Amino acid sequence: MQKLIIQGGQELCGEIRISGAKNAALPVMCASLLTSETVVIQNIPNLQDVATMMALLEQIGVGILANDSGEIAFSATTITNPTAPYEMVKTMRAAILVLGPLLARTGQAHISLPGGCAIGLRPVDQHIKGLQSMGAEISIEQGYIQARADHLTGARIIMDLVTVTGTENLMMAATLAHGTTILENAAREPEIIDLANCLISMGAKIQGAGSDVITIEGVERLHGGSHTVMPDRIETGTFLTAVAACGGEIHLMHTRANLLDAVLDKLIEAGASIDTGENWIHLSMNRRPRAVNLRTAPYPAFPTDMQAQFMAMNAIAEGTAVITETIFENRFMHVQELQRLNANIHVEGNTAIVSGVAELGGAKVMATDLRASACLVIAGLVASGETEISRIYHLDRGYEQIESKLKQLGANITRTRAR
């Protein structure tokens, strides 16, 4: 077990490079199951969830080879074991993304019900309902999804709720289905567009990705392809929010402002000055942030994955902020840890009322999930004294070398082994 030690209370200044998006890389890696030819992927981040997905794909039968230039080749020439065992997927919900490709390619899949962060219920019923509409026979037995289909057939699928992984799973499965599939009430996240671009490079026929109606015309086979994973918009937002909370100046490279308009608007409302270019964002903050209200909702609204980070900023802002979480019912578990740092936060149902204080104080805290970990890092950076964050394995699931990047900005942060 490792922990982070932060000596806070100083401004952050510098330049860093944003990594590839975990939430784009994982489905793109799974897309390699749809073809017997090689798929070459660039800009895959070095994260624990990525390592878990690679191990899962290798267990299924995918050959994986990395070169010195950072490209990773995935070759699913022969799928030997269309199974995702519980032991390999219990820590990562994204493992469900092998279901659609395996069913489309091999006609069968044996997938453990997924795990991940304990931020709330994230059911897979929309995945199952959609695949059943395409002709799959699916049952749940002893914690596993058992799926079979002689062939998948295109269908009109209206999802009861917006689901990113559900949209990705059904879109991948539909690429090899007989006929045309129409996904209505589809997720609109940029990661959906990134996956669609990868599939199109492999020969898929997809229209409407990024809108709430996606049309996929099934093809007989997909071929190999090459794809560069999009930049991580949540990592981008996390570093911008850290500097907005601490004060200072940051220049982010290899990112795109159009991926997080809602976040940038709220940072400007908090008092930050922001300039953007084709692949960079520059933020400067020379004042105490102003409190900003926010309400999470599916893209393009404010992302739930940035709620915790903004709560840390609001904890030391001028005024009172009202934060409403509409996506996950358990995503306020970081509140009690922020309170240990002297934050003034009151929770009523799915709403948190954050009254900004002039200063947070360092303390020992514990991460409860991935984005809560980032929230506590920001709080530790802005707090006076020493903050010790334990259970940072959550952090390593979604942030590549976060302490090294923060050190480039002048942060006093150290990773050490917990006793």
Side-chain angles (χ1 to χ4, degrees), residues 308 311-312 315 334-345 360 365 375-376 379:
M311 187 177 291
H334 46 279
V335 168
Q336 62 184 9
E337 301 302 311
L338 287 173
Q339 289 170 337
R340 289 178 55 79
L341 300 172
N342 298 330
N344 185 354
I345 306 172
L360 297 179
V365 292
C375 157
L376 295 177

Side-chain angles (χ1 to χ4, degrees), residues 201-384:
S201 78
M202 298 164 60
K205 296 181 179 180
I206 302 172
Q207 294 183 332
S211 75
D212 59 359
V213 179
I214 303 175
T215 303
I216 308 101
E217 182 182 341
V219 298
E220 185 175 344
R221 61 181 294 275
L222 296 179
H223 53 69
S226 179
H227 182 73
T228 300
V229 174
M230 63 175 276
D232 193 320
R233 61 192 174 102
I234 304 303
E235 183 192 24
T236 299
T238 298
F239 280 109
L240 292 173
T241 307
V243 176
C246 295
E249 195 166 2
I250 188 171
H251 189 79
L252 299 180
M253 304 174 294
H254 296 275
T255 189
R256 293 179 3 224
N258 65 345
L259 297 176
L260 64 167
D261 289 331
V263 172
L264 296 183
D265 287 347
K266 287 297 179 181
L267 288 170
I268 292 170
E269 186 181 333
S273 297
I274 297 177
D275 293 311
T276 64
E278 183 178 353
N279 63 354
W280 57 267
I281 301 174
H282 189 95
L283 178 146
S284 59
M285 188 70 154
N286 57 11
R287 53 158 294 151
R288 182 182 174 190
R290 291 187 289 264
V292 291
N293 299 330
L294 59 94
R295 180 183 182 87
T296 66
Y299 188 87
F302 193 91
T304 182
D305 280 353
M306 284 299 305
Q307 175 258 109
Q309 298 91 312
F310 263 71
M311 187 177 291
M313 182 188 73
N314 276 324
I316 51 88
E318 293 178 349
T320 298
V322 177
I323 298 176
T324 304
E325 173 61 55
T326 71
I327 307 297
F328 296 123
E329 69 275 9
N330 291 340
R331 208 157 200 179
F332 283 154
M333 291 189 293
H334 46 279
V335 168
Q336 62 184 9
E337 301 302 311
L338 287 173
Q339 289 170 337
R340 289 178 55 79
L341 300 172
N342 298 330
N344 185 354
I345 306 172
H346 176 66
V347 176
E348 297 178 358
N350 68 336
T351 298
I353 301 169
V354 187
S355 300
V357 297
E359 183 178 77
L360 297 179
K364 292 183 178 181
V365 292
M366 179 180 67
T368 54
D369 61 71
L370 171 55
R371 304 308 172 186
S373 304
C375 157
L376 295 177
V377 169
I378 293 173
L381 290 169
V382 79
S384 62

Side-chain angles (χ1 to χ4, degrees), residues 40-45 54 65-73 227:
V40 178
I41 308 174
Q42 301 174 339
N43 204 34
I44 294 179
M54 285 186 178
L65 181 64
N67 63 26
D68 294 337
S69 64
E71 296 179 336
I72 303 179
H227 182 73

Side-chain angles (χ1 to χ4, degrees), residues 17 37 56 59 82 161 206 215 223 249 275 369 387 389:
R17 183 188 189 281
E37 299 180 16
L56 174 58
Q59 184 267 340
L161 51 84
I206 302 172
T215 303
H223 53 69
E249 195 166 2
D275 293 311
D369 61 71
T387 297
I389 307 173

